[in-house]
Amino acid sequence: MALLDVRTKFISLSGREDLNTTMLNWFINSGQKILDRLQDTQKTMKWYKKDLAAGEYLIQLQYVMTIINVYLADIEGKKRLKKREYSKFLKMYSSDFDKVDNDVPIYWTPAISGLAPSQADLLSADYTYDKGGIVFGDYSSYNSIVIMPPPDQLYTISVLAKWYQPPLSDDTDVSYWTEFHDDLLVLSALYALERFYRNSEGMKDYMSAIKEELFEIDNRVAEDESYNINQMRG
């Protein structure tokens, strides 16, 4: 089922023919985010892989929910980087990451890479010093990580993470939820509608139905994980 079909079903069940396409898509995408946060699926966990050139230490990740592990690989093999809190990072390294000497990366941290709201429109630094680790332009759908020391050669970075489904915007757009659980997505969008209008009873009814469906999905995911573990053990 594509976005257009989900919208049509949403209108039919809610009776909200007064809502324009922008608002309808907003409620549907809100419902999709709710499902992403409530339930891990076979599509939640994915890899992000990218080659890093020497000196490249900032990695931007779009629609990432939770980062599990970060790995670095070269011709000699693959290793897991150690996670450090950002505050400890700043004690270990200069806050101006551009000034840190290149070496074999050891650590990673979730980055604070944005500027204040008054500087959100900047496309490049309009200040003189301490320019490293900043993402300019629209990064609202991105989170970033920093690895240190900066790479001394080309490496491939692999990020294992849980991800949000990308927002639906075009009529033909599909996602995991539209393809496999379109009825659940409609329920969640209806929940988002009731929440917006502060209808607590309607919210409770829809959430009860949503959790009942998610319970079945959770059981299937657990069965798949158990099967995969048994296969690995032989």
Side-chain angles (χ1 to χ4, degrees):
M1 182 180 283
L3 174 59
L4 176 60
D5 302 310
V6 175
R7 258 199 332 257
T8 301
K9 183 62 70 176
F10 178 88
I11 293 171
S12 174
L13 293 175
S14 67
R16 295 303 303 268
E17 297 181 1
D18 58 308
L19 297 176
N20 61 32
T21 299
T22 299
M23 285 302 299
L24 290 167
N25 288 353
W26 187 80
F27 283 118
I28 292 168
N29 281 305
S30 293
Q32 183 166 264
K33 287 181 181 178
I34 291 168
L35 294 176
D36 283 339
R37 290 192 292 265
L38 285 175
Q39 181 63 55
D40 288 349
T41 72
Q42 296 91 336
K43 303 296 182 181
T44 302
M45 196 90 75
K46 296 180 180 179
W47 288 98
Y48 174 87
K49 293 177 179 283
K50 179 181 185 293
D51 281 347
L52 297 179
E56 187 178 358
Y57 58 80
L58 180 66
I59 299 95
Q60 299 180 56
L61 304 166
Q62 190 174 31
Y63 306 130
V64 68
M65 191 187 317
T66 305
I67 297 172
I68 308 300
N69 280 313
V70 179
Y71 299 87
L72 208 67
D74 62 8
I75 194 170
E76 295 182 356
K78 176 179 177 180
K79 69 173 184 178
R80 190 174 74 178
L81 299 185
K82 300 175 183 178
K83 183 180 180 181
R84 289 292 183 267
E85 295 178 2
Y86 191 75
S87 59
K88 292 182 178 179
F89 233 61
L90 295 182
K91 292 179 180 179
M92 296 169 64
Y93 302 100
S94 165
S95 62
D96 189 350
F97 298 132
D98 285 339
K99 293 185 177 180
V100 180
D101 292 336
N102 294 356
D103 205 336
V104 179
I106 303 172
Y107 305 105
W108 74 274
T109 189
I112 300 176
S113 55
L115 292 172
S118 60
Q119 296 178 300
D121 293 333
L122 288 180
L123 298 179
S124 61
D126 66 349
Y127 45 90
T128 305
Y129 305 107
D130 196 14
K131 298 180 180 181
I134 296 297
V135 178
F136 295 97
D138 181 14
Y139 65 95
S140 56
S141 63
Y142 290 84
N143 286 308
S144 304
I145 63 172
V146 168
I147 64 171
M148 280 287 139
D152 57 343
Q153 61 175 40
L154 185 143
Y155 293 93
T156 295
I157 192 165
S158 299
V159 180
L160 180 62
K162 296 180 181 180
W163 307 83
Y164 287 106
Q165 292 290 305
L168 304 162
S169 57
D170 295 333
D171 287 351
T172 56
D173 281 355
V174 296
S175 69
Y176 169 81
W177 298 109
T178 67
E179 289 289 85
F180 293 97
H181 303 286
D182 50 281
D183 53 339
L184 187 52
L185 177 56
V186 173
L187 277 175
S188 191
L190 290 168
Y191 170 85
L193 176 69
E194 298 295 337
R195 182 178 64 178
F196 184 80
Y197 289 103
R198 295 182 293 180
N199 182 353
S200 58
E201 288 303 315
M203 289 171 60
K204 289 178 183 178
D205 290 341
Y206 282 123
M207 185 52 68
S208 177
I210 290 168
K211 286 185 176 180
E212 184 176 342
E213 291 294 319
L214 290 178
F215 179 76
E216 296 300 326
I217 295 174
D218 193 50
N219 284 340
R220 287 196 293 272
V221 171
E223 288 176 3
D224 288 344
E225 290 177 349
S226 177
Y227 175 80
N228 290 336
I229 291 173
N230 289 335
Q231 287 292 101
M232 290 172 64
R233 289 175 177 172

